[in-house]
């Protein structure tokens, strides 16, 4: 069986920290979508590490790590990430496997991302500019280059053909990007990529499943950024929900077991697009400060707001989440009162369904108020010692979602995680 862990909001829910903790119980951690747009923060022996393309199981020395076919790989970024990791854990390369079917991000994909965003002006997506959208476009357009291609003699020719196509496209934009300067490092990194363990990942995984190995699929981004079900067009270009695991790793739906859904105890979003419970005021600012809400990849400040249970129930439904992990509970310490969005009012009508045209709809959230607490959650070391008003908040969230909160995270450290009673 293969368990899944994914974000239920707009990303940055704390997936890296939780995977690093849960990896102790798994043999293999596998990324199934996204690419270097992800930034998963872990603290290893007190040192902060941000993972982009590498699965967050690398710091558990027994864990194998797989970059699945659903991931888009920038070899330059991958090499930089691995070089840093090898200096911390020299055995990383022995435990890393890469699917031959994962698609490559080319320098011109990054250029196209920048040009496309610039052309959108005020309507820009707020992309991380890592070339994610253009690389997935080439995948579905049947033009992409894959990891397995780097082992073939005609790789340079194929690269050149695709590059020329991109050069034509770039001419249509009135925007200069000096991508030519990125080509030398790209080819250097292709050599490095060839030295990694490139595998036929769906067979590799199948063999491990048959041998009884425990596998955890690690999501990137969040469910509200899903290409099909997120706040389109302000989304990423992959399926971030549980169904993405089947496509992104080549495993059958019947093999999926637990689905861990991660949500912050409040909500954030980085980049443009709708965010119904956003607090564009001093309360939002206080959340940003308390939660240190600045992007792990781009450093951009994250927009903050109260938890949105309408959106959360939607994403729990989409992935068939079996257990919730509530992170950053400690960030709510110090708020005299807090709120949860429980419905939306659209044209005078109350609804608790997530609307189709979220971008064009004028909606206002309906909130339920909760009392704050005095005793700091960050200092609690068991579920029992948590403040009663926070437990009430959790009970309400569980009942609203119809899904159990299995863990509560109360700090950045691997072990700052409280297990709730069954
Ligand atoms: P990811 O992309 O989902 O892995 O999340 P990020 O790493 O981008 O952002 C989450 C941030 O919150 C990181 O800086 C984590 O160190 C931090 N974090 C995770 N869990 C907790 C928690 O329970 N409390 C606090 N205060 N910070 C946390
Ligand atoms: P992790 O895995 C938060 C957002 C970007 C932008 C939109 C599209 O760390 O949770 P893209 O670069 O994919 O074209 O950007 O998606 N975005 C993320 N936001 N966390 C992420 O990853 C994100 N990856 C992409 O800010 O709004
Ligand atoms: Mg992140």
């Amino acid at each position: 069986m293969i368990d899944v862990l994914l974000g239920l909001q707009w990303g940055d829910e704390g997936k890296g920290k939780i995977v690093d903790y849960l990896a102790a119980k798994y043999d293999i951690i596998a990324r199934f979508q996204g690419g270097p747009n992800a930034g998963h923060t872990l603290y290893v022996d007190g040192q902060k590490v941000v993972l982009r393309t590498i699965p967050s199981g690398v710091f558990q020395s027994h864990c194998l790590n797989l970059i699945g076919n659903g991931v888009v790989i920038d070899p330059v970024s991958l090499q930089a990430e691995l070089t840093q990791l090898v200096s911390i854990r020299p055995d990383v390369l022995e435990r890393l496997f890469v699917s031959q079917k994962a698609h490559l991000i080319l320098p011109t994909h990054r250029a196209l991302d920048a040009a496309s965003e610039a052309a959108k002006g005020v309507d820009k997506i707020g992309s991380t500019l890592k070339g994610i959208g253009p690389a997935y476009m080439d995948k579905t357009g049947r033009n992409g280059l894959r990891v397995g291609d780097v082992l073939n003699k005609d790789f340079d020719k194929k690269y050149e053909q695709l590059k020329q196509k991109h050069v034509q496209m770039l001419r249509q934009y009135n925007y200069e990007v000096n991508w030519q300067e990125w080509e030398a490092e790209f080819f250097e990194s292709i050599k490095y990529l060839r030295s990694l363990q490139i595998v036929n990942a769906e067979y590799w995984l199948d063999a491990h499943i048959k041998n009884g190995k425990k596998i955890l699929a690690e999501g990137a981004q969040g469910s509200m950024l899903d290409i099909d079900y997120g706040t389109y067009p302000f989304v990423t270009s992959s399926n971030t929900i549980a169904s993405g695991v089947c496509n992104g790793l080549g495993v059958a739906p019947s093999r999926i077991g637990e689905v861990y859904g991660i949500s912050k105890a409040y909500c954030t979003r980085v980049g443009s697009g709708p965010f119904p419970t956003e607090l564009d005021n001093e309360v939002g600012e206080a959340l940003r400060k308390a939660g240190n809400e600045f992007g792990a990849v781009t450093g951009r400040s994250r927009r903050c707001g109260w938890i949105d249970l309408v959106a959360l129930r939607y994403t729990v439904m989409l992935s068939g989440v079996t257990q919730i992990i509530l992170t950053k509970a400690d960030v709510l310490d110090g708020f005299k009162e807090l709120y949860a969005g429980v419905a939306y009012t659209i044209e005078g009508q109350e609804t608790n369904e997530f609307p189709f045209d979220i971008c064009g709809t004028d909606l206002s959230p309906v909130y339920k108020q909760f009392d704050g607490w005095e005793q700091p959650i960050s200092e609690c070391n068991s579920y029992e010692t948590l403040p009663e008003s926070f437990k009430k908040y959790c009970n309400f969230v569980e009942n609203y979602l119809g899904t159990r909160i299995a863990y509560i995270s109360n700090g950045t450290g691997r072990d700052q995680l409280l297990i709730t009673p069954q």
Side-chain angles (χ1 to χ4, degrees), residues 313 316 321-322 324 396-404:
R313 185 154 65 185
V316 164
V321 170
T322 57
I324 305 273
F396 182 84
V397 170
E398 282 186 321
N399 287 332
Y400 189 103
L401 301 177
T403 312
R404 188 169 94 83

Side-chain angles (χ1 to χ4, degrees), residues 265 326-330 332-333 338 370-373 375 377 380 383 385-397 405 407-410 418 420:
L326 203 65
T327 57
K328 304 193 92 160
D330 53 301
L332 296 180
D333 286 343
L338 46 140
F370 294 86
D371 292 335
W373 45 85
Q375 180 206 353
I377 285 185
C380 295
Y383 176 82
T385 55
L386 284 168
E388 280 312 311
S389 20
F390 176 68
K391 285 186 191 161
K392 269 193 198 153
Y393 177 72
C394 289
N395 287 340
F396 182 84
V397 170
I405 298 176
Y407 296 93
I408 293 162
S409 171
N410 65 336
L418 313 177
T420 66

Side-chain angles (χ1 to χ4, degrees), residues 10-13 15 37-40 113 125-130 132-133 219-222 225 235-237 269-272 300:
W10 280 277
D12 302 328
E13 296 89 348
K15 298 175 289 293
N37 50 348
H40 295 180
D113 213 358
I125 309 293
S127 160
T128 59
L129 304 180
K130 303 296 174 197
I132 306 292
Q221 289 75 57
L225 289 170
V235 292
T236 190
S237 302
R269 168 163 209 170
V270 60
S272 332
R300 292 178 292 177

Side-chain angles (χ1 to χ4, degrees), residues 123 230-234 269 273-276 345-347 354-364:
D123 295 326
T231 46
Y232 194 87
F234 298 97
R269 168 163 209 170
F275 180 0
T345 306
I346 302 173
E347 291 174 2
F354 203 80
F356 161 69
D357 188 14
I358 178 82
C359 300
T361 304
D362 192 13
L363 62 77
S364 49

Side-chain angles (χ1 to χ4, degrees), residues 7 11-18 38-43 48-51 56 218-221 262 264 266 290-297 302 326-331 408-413 416-417:
D12 302 328
E13 296 89 348
K15 298 175 289 293
K17 168 194 152 149
I18 305 295
H40 295 180
T41 314
L42 279 61
Y43 282 87
K48 181 176 165 176
V49 180
V50 179
L51 298 174
S56 303
E218 172 183 5
Q221 289 75 57
I262 308 204
K264 286 182 188 174
Y266 51 101
N292 191 23
E293 294 296 355
F294 297 92
V297 172
R302 297 176 182 147
L326 203 65
T327 57
K328 304 193 92 160
D330 53 301
V331 173
I408 293 162
S409 171
N410 65 336
T412 53
Q416 284 177 293
L417 197 63

